[in-house]
Amino acid sequence: MDIKENYIAVKKQLPEHVQLVAVSKTHPVSEIQKVYDLGQKVFGENKVQELVEKHPLLPQDIQWHLIGHLQTNKVKYIASFVDTIQSVDSEKVLAEINKEAAKHNRTINVLLQIKIAEEESKFGFDIPEAKAIFQKYLNGDFPHVNITGLMGMATFTDNENQVRKEFTVLKEIFDELSGLKPLQTLSMGMSDDFPVAIECGANSVRVGSAIFGKRDYSI
Ligand SMILES: *Cc1c(COP(=O)(O)O)cnc(C)c1O
């Protein structure tokens, strides 16, 4: 399979209302350009350094999403151009994004990353923390960020019931917070589990290897 066939096959599986974030981490700009030329405008990277290197080499109308853990001291490198930061997992980093966005006179879209997986290693807010942050946001803290939704990663397992259960929890929190202020984006699902995620209510999926092929090293 080549990239074009992969891309078309993934797109075919997505209902109209589901956004595709093409996850291009570890793949060269030439491959990203190929997918862009097929009409894809939204790409995701998980490392600041890699994003900063690729950004000037590719079309400027790409909407870049940062999807990996973000250290506070690195926000400044992407604040001028990043479209959405999907991996906001602490109040500290949210406050820093707000500060850097203000310097550039812009508003940055963010998703709150929620810990839904059983695995200890996954980053993210627990549910009460996320609710508290969202409340502060509604009260007017962080005026230069736009919290547009939630992001989550399920446990890495073949047990589909487990994955389904975790996605369903995230969908419930999404609906609850949306009752306070409507949220647009529920980002869940990757190459191996995006069809299940969509069944559970995802309207944005982050798909890498199903488009670009296997990565040489695991991240
Ligand atoms: C790498 C990555 C993905 C995409 O993973 P694939 O299995 O290659 O589709 C999605 N989300 C995050 C946060 C990632 O780091």
Side-chain angles (χ1 to χ4, degrees):
M1 291 280 268
D2 71 358
I3 287 190
K4 182 175 177 184
E5 288 173 38
N6 290 344
Y7 178 71
I8 290 167
V10 168
K11 286 289 278 184
K12 251 195 207 139
Q13 293 174 73
L14 303 180
E16 193 95 50
H17 71 281
V18 175
Q19 176 193 51
L20 172 62
V21 178
V23 176
S24 49
K25 65 190 189 200
T26 79
H27 298 288
V29 291
S30 55
E31 307 278 273
I32 301 172
Q33 183 71 47
K34 278 186 204 165
V35 176
Y36 175 89
D37 291 340
L38 296 168
Q40 180 66 25
K41 292 282 155 65
V42 186
F43 290 86
E45 288 283 340
N46 72 331
K47 294 202 163 128
V48 167
Q49 172 81 18
E50 195 173 337
L51 176 53
V52 165
E53 282 169 16
K54 287 173 173 175
H55 166 251
L57 305 175
L58 284 155
Q60 293 304 296
D61 65 341
I62 287 181
Q63 293 168 37
W64 288 107
H65 287 215
L66 187 81
I67 60 170
H69 178 66
L70 176 58
Q71 286 171 279
T72 308
N73 61 358
K74 295 198 173 157
V75 173
K76 58 178 177 284
Y77 301 119
I78 59 172
S80 67
F81 70 89
V82 71
D83 178 84
T84 301
I85 298 174
Q86 294 208 3
S87 40
V88 171
D89 58 6
S90 71
E91 181 168 353
K92 202 168 138 225
V93 82
L94 186 63
E96 183 68 13
I97 294 166
N98 183 63
K99 193 177 105 194
E100 289 296 325
K103 281 189 195 164
H104 293 278
N105 248 317
R106 63 188 297 250
T107 303
I108 296 177
N109 298 322
V110 307
L111 307 183
L112 301 181
Q113 181 172 356
I114 312 291
K115 194 190 295 184
I116 52 172
E118 267 187 352
E119 294 151 303
E120 264 311 307
S121 61
K122 298 266 155 93
F123 290 106
F125 290 108
D126 61 31
I127 293 165
E129 281 171 341
K131 287 181 182 168
I133 290 284
F134 195 61
Q135 204 45 256
K136 286 191 184 182
Y137 166 73
L138 294 178
N139 291 342
D141 291 13
F142 323 116
H144 287 271
V145 303
N146 198 3
I147 299 182
T148 55
L150 305 179
M151 186 270 256
M153 284 164 95
T155 302
F156 185 69
T157 171
D158 287 337
N159 182 346
E160 193 184 307
N161 284 335
Q162 167 95 24
V163 170
R164 205 173 275 281
K165 208 171 69 191
E166 292 172 359
F167 285 153
T168 301
V169 166
L170 190 53
K171 169 70 164 114
E172 284 166 7
I173 306 156
F174 180 80
D175 288 342
E176 189 181 334
L177 296 185
S178 288
L180 303 173
K181 178 177 192 273
L183 293 173
Q184 291 82 50
T185 306
L186 180 55
S187 170
M188 51 187 197
M190 322 192 341
S191 291
D192 288 337
D193 58 14
F194 74 83
V196 176
I198 292 167
E199 281 174 33
C200 295
N203 60 18
S204 185
V205 295
R206 309 176 307 273
V207 179
S209 44
I211 297 170
F212 291 97
K214 282 213 180 79
R215 290 178 289 275
D216 290 343
Y217 51 99
S218 62
I219 301 287

